[in-house]
Structures are given as C-alpha cells and as structure tokens.
C-alpha cells in the first residue's frame, strides 16, 4: 500500500462515521469491468458496487444519457413532470410481462423503495392488519421501516422498537409461513433469493406457495427485487421465472447502473393504493437518475444481456461448483449472482486473497463469498477468476 492510500485511509477514519470499516482500496476510475486504485493497481470488478453497476464503469450509453440530461435539467422536484420519468415508468411496467399492469413510485435507493412499499401496504390494509411477515436472515434496508423487516438480529437489535410489527419465519419453509400468515397479516415481505443473507435461493415452488398463502389470508405479497431485479438472474425480474405475480415489487441497485434510483411498483389495483399526499420524495425519479435507468434498460435489451447473463452465469456456477479445495463446499445462486460456499468462516480471507490477485469479490457472509459482476462481464473475464481461484484459496488458507 502506498503512502497515498494510507493517507486517504487515515483521513477517512478521521472524518467518516465509524459505521463502515475503513476500506483497504481507494478506487480512482474504471472502464468496463475493470477498476483502478489510486496506486495504479487494476482489479476485475466482480462485485459491481454490490450488484449495482449493471453496465460496468464508464459505459458510453450511461455517460451520454447522463451528460445530455444534466445539460438540460438536473433536477425539478415532483412539483413538475419530466418525460423521462414517465417513459421509465412505462418501460418498467412493460417489462413485467403480458397483461400485468401497475403504477410506479420512484425513490432514490432500495431502502426508500421498501419504505414506500410498507406505507402502500398500510394504506391499503389499514390498522386491523398490523402485522408484516418477513424472513429470518432477510435484508430489506437500514431505514427504520425496512430495518424492521430485516431479519438479521445483529443489525436490528440496537434500534428497536420500530413501530412496525413483524413476524419472522425461516426462509423457504412453506408450513412456517402458512402458520404465520393469518387475518392480522397485512403483507408477506420477501426477497426471491436472500442476497445479503448469502445468495440463498428460495426452494423451487416456494414463491408460488407464498402467493397461495397470501391469497388465502387476504395478505399482500411484496417481493423485494432490489438485488435480484433488472437482469441479475437472467430474467428482468426473478418472479418471472417462478410464474408468480406479486402485489408489490421493489427495485433499486442495478436499475440506475450506478446512479441512485429506486422504484416501488404496485401491481394492478395495488398501484392505485396511495391517496394524494400520502408519500413523496424531493429527489425520487430525478431526471438524471431516470436517464441513466433508461440507458441501462435500453442496453440490456439492445445487447441481449439477459441471455448473456444466463449463459455466463451458468458457466460461472459450473466453474465455482467444480472447485475442489478443502475450504470449499460448493456454490449456489442464479445468473450472475453466485456465492462460493465455504466450509469455515474464511470469506474475509478469501476476499482479501482475491483482491491481492486482482479480483474484487465480497465476503457477504462469514462462510460465503459473493460474486455479482456487471452484467456485461465476459466469459473470458469470468474464466480468469475461476482459473485463479485455486491459488486464491491456497493464499486464503495461509492467512
Ligand atoms: N433490499 C435488498 C434485497 C437489498 O439487497 C438491499 C441492499 O443491499 C436493500 C434492500 C437496501 O438497498 P439500499 O442499500 O439501496 O438502501
């Protein structure tokens, strides 16, 4: 580490709140799936700003769209309309699937998209159904409503009470869900795959059973597609592969390709649930963020990235699954959203060894290393990581 990096780290520690660990790498710029630090080292970015940078870095379509928009109007608030926001909402609704209608609220982040969903559910279900049901080890964000639904005790407990009553059930357990969803339940709030929980997909048929259980009890089904949505799994949305239609879908992360935007989509009549004045955001649906999101959606379509994600993702899964090493038990995930699963809590060591070898990955859980690269990552780039993995694991074992 050079003096420059050390100095930035020291200054970071001095002025930034201590909620984040001081990062080891100070990044300077990126191109495609490669990023460079301030010392001139390059890395293959296999985490993409935590499943955000769908088109990698410095993608011409995003640069052009954002540059053109900022030179016209950067911001107008929701007192006024701009066409880009309407086009983006139309486009997102069009991607849901044939015959599926709805309405969109734009936010700036995942947690805000989920806050909107919580309020939408409250507005529709009223006070007689005060309970939300969510998954143990699920993650929905850090603001108080979203945190109340987040099933990770260590990040919740210091901040209770939340004012939202939540019943937690084991993820993927149909019987436990059926027992938890009763006449007091407003909504079931789930991810299709636990993302921060370690890239743990729901068992086949689980989402269909969630739908049935919700329908039987009169509860709404909110699907948090903030990490899974916008092509990450090889479909526009993960629910599409399950043949299930939720009542509310939340999006963020990959939607803006690096610009901050979130969306809460109410399906069918649920989209009309808010009354005038019920919710709002000064920046939500900001012209620049919408321009970036439209560019992301256009490029995914134009370049056939959904197929690309499926193909490269399958090869990545095969490659990770074929690693024979005492530290590794296997791999899990869908599309370009995989976890290398470890026999012991060595993920931080693997992350560090990968970084030293020139690859950015993420120790998402003590025993799981997440790989969520830009959707444009090439087969060769993925292969280079799989080829380097045995050496990385050796290094990690020595730490
Ligand atoms: N929901 C899911 C499934 C997430 O993975 C995340 C972030 O990791 C969030 C919500 C919160 O998003 P944000 O960090 O943009 O608030």
């Amino acid at each position: 580490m050079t003096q420059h990096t050390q100095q930035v780290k020291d200054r970071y520690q001095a002025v930034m709140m201590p909620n984040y660990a001081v990062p080891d790498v100070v990044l300077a710029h990126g191109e495609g799936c490669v990023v460079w630090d301030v010392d001139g080292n390059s890395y293959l970015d296999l985490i993409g700003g935590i499943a955000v940078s769908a088109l990698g870095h410095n993608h011409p379509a995003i640069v052009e769209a954002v540059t053109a928009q900022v030179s016209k109007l950067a911001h107008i608030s929701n007192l006024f309309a701009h066409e880009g926001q309407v086009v983006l909402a139309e486009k997102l609704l069009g991607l849901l699937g044939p015959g599926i209608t709805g309405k969109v609220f734009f936010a700036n982040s995942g947690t805000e998209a989920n806050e909107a969903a919580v309020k939408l559910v409250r507005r529709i279900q009223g006070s007689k159904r005060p309970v939300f049901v969510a998954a143990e080890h699920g993650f929905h964000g850090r603001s108080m409503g979203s945190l109340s639904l987040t099933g990770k005790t260590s990040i919740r407990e210091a901040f209770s009470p939340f004012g939202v009553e939540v019943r937690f059930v084991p993820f993927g357990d149909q019987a436990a869900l059926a027992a938890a969803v009763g006449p007091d339940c407003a909504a079931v709030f789930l991810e299709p795959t636990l993302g921060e929980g370690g890239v743990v997909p729901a068992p086949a048929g689980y989402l269909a059973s969630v739908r049935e259980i919700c329908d039987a009890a009169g509860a709404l089904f909110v699907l948090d597609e903030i990490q899974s949505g916008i092509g990450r799994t090889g479909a526009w949305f993960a629910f599409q592969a399950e043949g299930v239609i939720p009542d509310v879908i939340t999006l963020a992360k990959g939607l803006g390709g690096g610009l901050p935007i979130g969306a809460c989509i109410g399906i069918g009549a649920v989209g009309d649930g808010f009354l005038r004045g019920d919710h709002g955001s000064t920046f939500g649906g900001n012209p620049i963020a919408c321009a970036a999101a439209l560019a992301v959606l256009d490029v995914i379509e134009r370049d056939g990235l959904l197929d690309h994600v499926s193909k490269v993702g399958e090869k990545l899964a095969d490659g990770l699954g074929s690693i024979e090493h005492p530290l590794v038990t296997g791999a899990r995930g869908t599309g370009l959203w995989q976890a290398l699963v470890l026999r012991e809590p060595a993920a931080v060591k693997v992350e560090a060894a990968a970084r030293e070898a020139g690859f950015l990955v993420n120790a998402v859980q003590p025993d799981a290393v997440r790989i969520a690269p830009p959707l444009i990552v090439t087969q060769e780039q993925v292969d280079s990581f799989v080829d380097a993995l045995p050496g990385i694991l050796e290094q990690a074992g020595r730490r």
Side-chain angles (χ1 to χ4, degrees), residues 41-323:
N41 302 307
S42 68
Y43 306 86
L44 180 58
D45 183 3
L46 296 175
I47 191 60
I50 317 187
V52 165
S53 307
L55 305 186
H57 305 278
N58 196 25
H59 193 286
I62 294 187
V63 174
E64 275 163 33
V66 166
T67 309
Q69 186 58 52
V70 77
S71 66
K72 287 186 200 146
L73 283 170
H75 176 76
I76 56 169
S77 87
N78 290 293
L79 295 176
F80 307 97
H82 64 96
E83 205 170 343
Q85 192 183 76
V86 178
V87 176
L88 180 59
E90 288 169 345
K91 185 111 203 178
L92 285 172
L93 294 171
L95 295 175
L96 294 175
I100 308 180
T101 59
K103 289 199 175 156
V104 183
F105 169 82
F106 285 116
N108 308 287
S109 65
T111 203
E112 287 172 74
N114 283 339
E115 293 291 335
V118 169
K119 284 181 67 177
L120 182 62
V121 167
R122 266 278 157 86
R123 167 55 85 193
I124 291 169
Q125 296 285 40
S127 58
K128 293 218 170 74
R129 286 178 172 265
V131 177
F132 283 74
V133 173
E136 290 167 7
H137 309 294
F139 186 86
H140 299 290
R142 304 281 195 151
S143 54
M144 291 300 265
S146 305
L147 186 58
S148 71
L149 295 156
T150 289
K152 188 174 175 189
T153 316
S154 61
I155 62 176
R156 300 165 46 85
E157 61 189 356
F159 303 101
S160 64
F162 298 106
V164 179
E165 197 182 333
V166 183
R167 208 171 275 151
F168 287 102
V169 292
F171 183 65
D173 182 334
Q174 193 179 326
L177 187 74
V181 179
D184 61 350
C185 176
V188 174
F189 213 110
L190 291 174
E191 300 160 84
T193 282
L194 299 180
E196 299 308 300
V199 194
V200 183
Y206 180 64
L207 295 187
S209 65
V210 176
R211 180 71 274 176
E212 278 169 26
I213 290 165
C214 286
D215 287 346
L220 294 171
F221 179 11
V222 183
L223 194 63
D224 178 338
E225 292 243 21
I226 285 163
Q227 197 159 150
S228 58
I230 315 297
R232 175 87 12 223
T233 64
W236 281 108
F237 308 104
F239 78 82
Q240 291 168 327
E242 302 288 326
V244 169
I245 305 172
D247 297 302
V248 181
I249 299 159
T250 53
L251 300 170
K253 287 197 179 276
L255 176 59
L259 275 286
I261 185 164
C264 171
I265 304 181
I267 306 290
V270 173
D272 287 310
F274 275 141
L275 305 183
R276 180 129 331 138
D278 270 355
H279 200 49
S281 163
T282 299
F283 291 113
N286 165 286
I288 298 175
C290 287
L294 280 169
V296 168
L297 301 182
D298 285 348
V299 172
I300 292 177
E301 252 167 4
R302 184 195 74 193
D303 294 355
L305 289 181
L306 297 183
D307 276 352
H308 175 79
V309 168
S310 298
K311 283 189 196 127
V312 180
E314 214 165 291
K315 290 261 178 65
L316 172 61
D318 289 348
L320 296 176
S322 69
I323 298 287

